[in-house]
Amino acid sequence: MTAIAHRPTADPLFRLVAYALETAHDRPPAAVWSAPHAFHLGSPALVAAAGWPVAAAAAPRDDGRVRLSSLGHPAQSCDLPLSGPYPTTPEWAARTYALLRTMARAGHGRGGTDLHVHGTLTEAAGLSVGEPMDCAVALAVADVHGGPGRPLPPRGRLAELAREAAPDGDEALRRAVLFARPGTALLTEGHRERAERRIPFDPGASGARLVLLATRGGAADRDGDLLRAAECARLAGALSVWPPGNRSGRGLLVLLPGDRLTAVRSAVANDFRDAGRPVPRFLNIAVAGAARREE
């Protein structure tokens, strides 16, 4: 694992995160984990994972401190204790730090961790970053402190700790991040894996396309832009349009016939240009599998 930063065949994202940890903390990672973004399928309980990951590179410590860094916030790295009064924490790191302290109280990673995180999408893209980041961090920290021959804590237990640290998070999305499979949606019922059912959901297999439409205007114009984009996409041939999360955001998921992608993109772009609005971004979405260790 220590060579992933210098392995030409490794995914560029994971090479970058591993190298960034070495650069920021002067030591190689002991593990790199990735976790997919996730989304709802028009129902609070029906979720799936998207093929856009976040990554966490971790190395264990033994002094009870965590050093956190991120490519997205290069000037805001921090060195924080895992016990005692809460110190001032950069906004970007607050949720991750709360999770690390929660895990330490439960006996996972008490010695401390050097951690570097990065995502392929920002919140501006419309998919929640918090849940995949929680899961990538929890798995990476549990891994590097597990020791040889010791299994990772059950993923359900890590989900419980993430929920304790961020009770306002989206539990269904966490379940998708931890338990999704490619080409399927997950129907969640409560917090128990055995209560979940898998439903085939593979747009590509039927010649359809799933895309994320992310608006780019200011917060004051967001609702109007989303309504404009949804109506325009439907008129141009989209089969279905829906928000990817339970909270109001700036993105929409669009399911459409494969041969209508260019028409929908052109119709939305032209409509927004004519209205003097910033043209939304379109990102292809593959229905992906769960968080995993990158070898």
Side-chain angles (χ1 to χ4, degrees), residues 37 39 71 101 122 132-133 139 143 160 164 213 217 227 254 274:
H37 285 78
F39 57 92
L71 285 170
R101 287 183 66 121
T122 67
M133 191 64 72
L139 287 161
D143 186 359
E160 291 174 0
E164 180 181 341
L213 184 159
L227 288 172
V254 183
D274 291 345

Side-chain angles (χ1 to χ4, degrees), residues 136-218:
V137 166
L139 287 161
V141 171
D143 186 359
V144 301
H145 285 280
R150 292 178 58 186
L152 284 172
R155 291 191 174 200
R157 174 56 178 155
L158 295 179
E160 291 174 0
L161 294 172
R163 185 168 62 251
E164 180 181 341
D168 59 342
D170 189 317
E171 183 62 20
L173 293 185
R174 281 196 200 103
R175 305 300 294 186
V177 174
L178 291 170
F179 300 108
R181 294 178 186 170
T184 63
L186 195 66
L187 183 60
T188 62
E189 299 175 9
H191 305 318
R192 299 173 299 164
E193 184 179 3
R194 62 180 178 271
E196 295 164 346
R197 291 190 290 133
R198 300 184 187 278
I199 299 170
F201 179 63
D202 188 0
S206 60
R209 297 287 292 272
L210 181 65
V211 297
L212 175 67
L213 184 159
T215 60
R216 302 170 68 180

